[in-house]
Amino acid sequence: MRKYIAKRLAQVVVILFFILTVLFVLFRLAPGDPVSRMVDPEMTPEDAQHLIEQLGLDEPIWKQYLIYLKNFASGEFGYSIHYGEPVARVIWDKLPNTILLFTTAVLLSAMVGISWGKIAAWKKGKGADIGMTIAALVTHTLFLPWLALLLVWVFAYQLDWFPITGMVSEEVFLDPDAGFWAKAVDVGYHMVLPLATLFLIHFGSYLLVMRSSMLETLKEDYIVLARAKGLSDRAIRNKHAAPNAWLPVVTSVGLSLAFSINGGALTETVFSWPGIGRELVFAVSQNDYPLAQASFLLIATVVLFSNVVVDVLYAFLDPRIRY
Amino acid sequence: MAKCFKRNMMVRGLALAAMVTVLLGGLCATPAAAANGMLKIGVLEEPKSLNLWLATDAWSKRVLSLINEPLFIREPKSNELVPWLAAGKPVYDAGKMTYTVKLKKAKWSDGSDFTAADVIFTGQLINKFRMPRHRSKWSFIERVVAVDKHTVRFELKRPKAIFLSRTLTTPIVQKKQWEKIVASAQGAEKPLTVILRHKLTNPIGTGPFVVSKWQKGVFVFMKANPHFFGRGQTISGHKLGPHIKGIIFKVYGTADAAILALRKGAIDFYWNSIQAGYLEQLKDDKDIKLFVSNKSGLYYLGFNLRKEPFDDVALRRAVATLVSKEFIIKRILQGYGEVLHSMIPPGNSFYYNPDVPKYGYGKSMDERMKLAYNILREAGYTWETPPVNANGEVVRGEGIRLPDGSPMKEFTILTPPADYDPHRAMSGQMIQEWLRAAGMPAVSRPMAFGALIQKVKGQHDFDAFILGYGKLSLDPGYLRAFFHSRYNKPRGYNMSGYESAAYDALSNESNNAMDPKLRQEMIFQMQAMLMAAVPYVPLYNPKVIEGVRIDRFTGWVPMLGGVGNIWSLCQIKAK
Amino acid sequence: MALLKVENLSIGYRTAGGMLKAVDGVNLSLEEGRSLGLVGESGCGKTTIGMALMGLLPPNGSITGGRIVLDGVEISALDEEELRKVRWSQVAMIFQAAMNALNPVIRVSAQMTEAIRTHRPDMDEQAIMQRVEGLFNLVGLPLERLHDFPHQYSGGMKQRAIIAMALALNPKLIIADEPTTALDVIVQDQILKETKVLQEQFDIGIIFISHDISIVAEVCHDIGVMYAGQLVEAGPAQEVFFNSKHPYTRALVGSFPTLAGPKSKLTPIPGEPPNLIGAIPGCRFCDRCPKDTASCKLEPPKWQEINERHWVLCDHC
């Protein structure tokens, strides 16, 4: 097991190096100019060139690449061109917000999707199953910005139950007396609509995966044995069938969690959620190479690692798997 | 089994309790809003940086314009420059080529005195580090000297017209805050980078507000600056406050959300131009007032004069004739815009030359086609099917051939993508159709903004493009940068490749003309030259539509560019 | 009184093509401590009877006639909750394809204890554990393997574990559905012998379902041969095996190698069983029967008594 993990981690490092290089090349090849926003009409071309030199963007590509590798090896990701701050700082300012929203959303939709999928499979063909399957299929195909705007319109604007997007209210965060819990409740309150949107869009896929996996499991002999033993439906469903049906779902949840760190630029934009997804789009559109590279690298790293984690987790969920 | 059931119930109970708490908490939190003297402004992005030298985006500038103040600013009614940090008009000594400016006895937000040293320091910093965006306004300054604590004298290397309108409107930074940073930058390998990357969380300013709290990505809270020099003063007839405790800039990801927030009262003002499509729902809201203001904008169709087919002035004139600016404004801008005939918007009345060729203006599409056809025919263009037939009727033209007899190759009009600016993308489509009707193989292609800029400005690899400026300086100095041959190189601002020795000479001269009347004449001539050669076809200047809630605050000051300006924020009062 | 009485039992499955009569008018009876082998080809209804005895017919299957009485209780009339209580405590089952009958993600010990815990809620954990250990000893499984996962067991061990599981609640009846099919011959033989010993030791009634008549003949007291949903021959094991009357039974005997008997040539049975959807007027075997006469096709056959305990459903035997 330990040897296996070590081997996998070594693979991850090699792949990351590869990705690092690809990212570097891709961003240099992409059209666009990181300093176009900083140049004004009256600036002479000589002064513009001076700015480029100062930002180190005039070096030959291979030299930039070597500097990039060297910095990367020493844990330096460079400075964002537009924020003028270390890339790590920019990412760190926004990443926790993204993780908070998207991880909660993935876990919530996975939990509900899995437990409903379990029940749908158990009641296959009955009303509950048909209802849930249709709901899953319908919500799954909804267009996210449309749904988001609809929820904001109905629940925030018309009914006034929730704030119109955003992550915190200034009343709470400017109040010197507001403690941790007041702030936490405020953030939770702002999170309801984005969570509801993400939940509606995503629970269906978990439900459907769990349902089909569960249906396969229910055909197994050990389920018949469990029933023959006179176990209750609940015990058969939850203790005998579900743990065997989890495996494919675990993969999909694991990867969703990994991808949740890149957030969804769309979700974050429509809900004014200050997350990493919007930064990523900004960085790419404004040719902020260091920021874009580091963000993508972060995503790649998390995805690769969570692949390893999912595989290791498999071994815990299914005793037959040993590495 | 029973144990399992209990645990399950407990988990559900906890989840339910959490949800109820969140809901109740939220319901209690909302009504307490408002009415505490804070103005809430909706914006689409947070400032990228509070470091004045780095910040280039419009959103950072909104915040910074309330902190770092210049010596002179424009007055809303007249659009004239009036003393701001300066105490009076600059005194010019033509013989020595110096300007002397008296300064107000202002204080910085940390309580220290604003003095001549701060102005001198700012100028030195800009020149020493060749500060992007400011350098061109200061490069001709020989030096700045302190006559006394509150008087500065600018010594110019050569006469420069933009001195008054650009140099004297440069925001001034505090020497105390920046000198250490400058000292550390001087020894560095890349000194400019050190300045640009200096992280400033609390810029000291002389303006009406200071940043008090910045919740990353969510809001910026600015407190009224107790040391603001204008407090209680009357400047150019405006009695200044600020009369509000502070401003909260709230970030909304989309215009949809910001407008809902405005209608719901979560913000008092959405500091951004509202697209015409939203006006229907805002018109009937009795708590919301819409301000429609002119701005100094210039949107244009540009040609590449370096290659076929637009190296021919006849073709450029014909295209200019075929483009119906009136139609674009009526249909695409839904009426919120004005036609541009020259490279200077008419709102800039002192420099605007009303007497330039107005290709096809006021004519119907058929008349335009006939005019264009005549221009092209006389220049030697031929067609398989000419757009005007033997009976003088307009038909669909096909297969245009250049004067040398070769068929015109397909050319592209690059525009920004529709999600970046629908107006320009749609205008491109429209123009493509008009040109095709004349038999020209035109293709309008939206392209990501960065790529577009690189192709047009960096590589000069294009046929035609549509770009524009939303906030064009009122000083016409840009005419030189846009069309002087010196700027016709990669990254230079002369994107069309227009080169004319006469124009170069005239623009150089106008740049150094210190007599406004003389300069006006030269700028008029330059406009006429440009409109004869049409390297650009000026299209339109959109209007700014802004929405303001009137139930809590009053006293908004409209001016060129909209009500979102420092005068408004210094004058609005709670109802 | 007989431990189990199956009277005129008919079972049907609703299918897309119509009602499939999987079991048609079967009568069985089993005394305490005795064993009955049900043999026949796949699809003959023997497994369906086993499932009906546990009340575990699939959702589209139902008892359409007759009744099942176990120890005086009419199982076929119980509701789901009552059935649940009868399962495993009264009737246990040793499964066909025992390889997959153990849940791969649950430890064997837990799979054993849960059965006891469910039916004996008053028993404490220690007592349950002692019982499980006792069962392990009984079936000859090493105690140190108690907490293993199923995949760590060999095929024979799994089968023993299932047998131990079946014995957990001292049921009066065990249904063994092809319990040893997937095992190699040596292990199969061993387990069958041990099972027989255990059955006699605990005085349990066993219904042994198999397609292999030679095995059944060796293990069981009695044999019922099933064909196309009907019982076609029934009687003491040795009688039915060595003195088969029904042509189908004869064919079955001839189609399997025997462990003990003399070497003989195996003869496959030509043809296929009839479709069980819709009515079949005559003898169901007549299409494959060497003795086929014209009347067989038209008239249903009647039970013929060979001797007091040996009966056959054939008009020509």
Side-chain angles (χ1 to χ4, degrees), chain A residues 225 228-231 240 244 319, chain C residues 84 101 103-104 111 114 119 151:
Chain A
L225 175 63
K229 279 199 237 173
L231 301 185
H240 283 265
N244 281 287
Chain C
R84 203 175 64 71
N103 194 323
Q111 298 193 49
E114 72 178 344
H119 291 280
H151 71 279

Side-chain angles (χ1 to χ4, degrees), chain A residues 31-33 37 41-42 44 47 54 79 83 85 93-94 156 160 162 170-171 189 232 269 272 282, chain B residues 26 33 40 46 48 57 130 133 135-136 166 190 192-193 197 199 216 250 253 264 454 481 486 491:
Chain A
D33 181 348
R37 248 172 105 153
E42 274 119 300
T44 61
D47 282 340
Q54 287 287 307
Y79 277 73
Y83 284 96
E85 288 190 58
D93 274 341
K94 301 292 163 68
D160 201 10
F162 298 102
E170 58 278 7
E171 283 84 7
Y189 173 52
S232 68
T269 303
S272 318
F282 169 81
Chain B
K40 292 180 186 173
E46 67 178 333
K48 292 283 166 274
D57 61 294
R130 299 165 84 178
R133 289 191 160 255
R135 160 76 170 164
S136 57
R166 306 297 306 275
K190 294 188 164 159
L192 174 59
T193 312
R197 286 179 183 169
K199 186 183 166 122
K216 278 286 165 80
K250 294 176 72 171
K264 197 182 154 188
Q454 200 187 23
R486 176 173 145 74
R491 287 189 211 284

Side-chain angles (χ1 to χ4, degrees), chain C residues 68-95:
Chain C
I68 302 166
V69 182
L70 175 72
D71 210 11
V73 179
E74 189 180 339
I75 290 187
S76 45
L78 296 181
D79 69 17
E80 185 57 29
E81 189 52 31
E82 289 164 324
L83 264 178
R84 203 175 64 71
K85 285 181 182 140
V86 171
R87 286 181 199 142
W88 221 254
S89 59
Q90 310 276 327
V91 203
M93 199 161 185
I94 297 171
F95 264 80

Side-chain angles (χ1 to χ4, degrees), chain B residues 538-574:
Chain B
L539 296 174
Y540 57 82
N541 175 19
K543 297 213 188 267
V544 182
I545 311 164
E546 287 167 306
V548 166
R549 283 193 79 84
I550 49 173
D551 54 349
R552 288 203 289 265
F553 296 95
T554 74
W556 294 91
V557 183
M559 70 181 286
L560 188 72
V563 290
N565 60 60
I566 193 167
W567 297 96
S568 284
L569 298 173
C570 284
Q571 290 184 68
I572 54 163
K573 285 183 176 145

Side-chain angles (χ1 to χ4, degrees), chain B residues 271-400:
Chain B
W271 195 344
N272 198 23
S273 190
I274 296 174
Q275 298 268 331
Y278 291 108
L279 297 182
E280 251 342 278
Q281 46 170 315
L282 291 172
K283 259 189 213 150
D284 301 330
D285 197 322
K286 63 177 174 29
D287 289 327
I288 291 175
K289 183 170 174 183
L290 293 173
F291 286 92
V292 179
S293 322
N294 285 322
K295 69 175 185 177
S296 177
L298 168 66
Y299 291 80
Y300 61 90
L301 168 69
F303 302 110
N304 191 350
L305 275 55
R306 302 175 191 87
K307 61 180 212 182
E308 265 184 17
F310 292 113
D311 53 351
D312 181 6
V313 66
L315 179 63
R316 300 200 296 272
R317 284 178 184 159
V319 170
T321 309
L322 286 170
V323 172
S324 171
K325 303 164 187 178
E326 302 96 301
F327 186 92
I328 290 177
I329 286 163
K330 192 173 163 203
R331 283 300 145 88
I332 299 178
L333 274 68
Q334 304 191 19
Y336 292 96
E338 62 177 344
V339 171
L340 291 185
H341 295 294
S342 176
M343 293 301 294
I344 289 178
N348 194 353
S349 53
F350 186 74
Y351 287 113
Y352 170 63
N353 180 355
D355 196 23
V356 292
K358 295 172 183 169
Y359 300 95
Y361 182 57
K363 299 281 198 300
S364 72
M365 279 324 293
D366 279 7
E367 289 166 330
R368 283 172 184 271
M369 186 60 85
K370 287 176 191 166
L371 286 171
Y373 172 65
N374 285 334
I375 297 172
L376 291 170
R377 202 187 44 183
E378 277 163 25
Y381 287 79
T382 51
W383 286 264
E384 278 164 29
T385 315
V388 177
N389 65 16
N391 301 331
E393 290 157 353
V394 172
V395 294
R396 195 168 173 85
E398 257 167 59
I400 192 168

Side-chain angles (χ1 to χ4, degrees), chain B residues 128-155:
Chain B
K128 188 174 291 162
F129 297 101
R130 299 165 84 178
M131 202 54 77
R133 289 191 160 255
H134 297 284
R135 160 76 170 164
S136 57
K137 302 180 259 179
W138 287 79
S139 57
F140 52 86
I141 306 282
E142 180 68 47
R143 59 197 184 111
V144 191
V145 263
V147 178
D148 59 43
K149 194 182 172 193
H150 288 109
T151 313
V152 282
R153 192 174 66 233
F154 296 84
E155 299 180 9

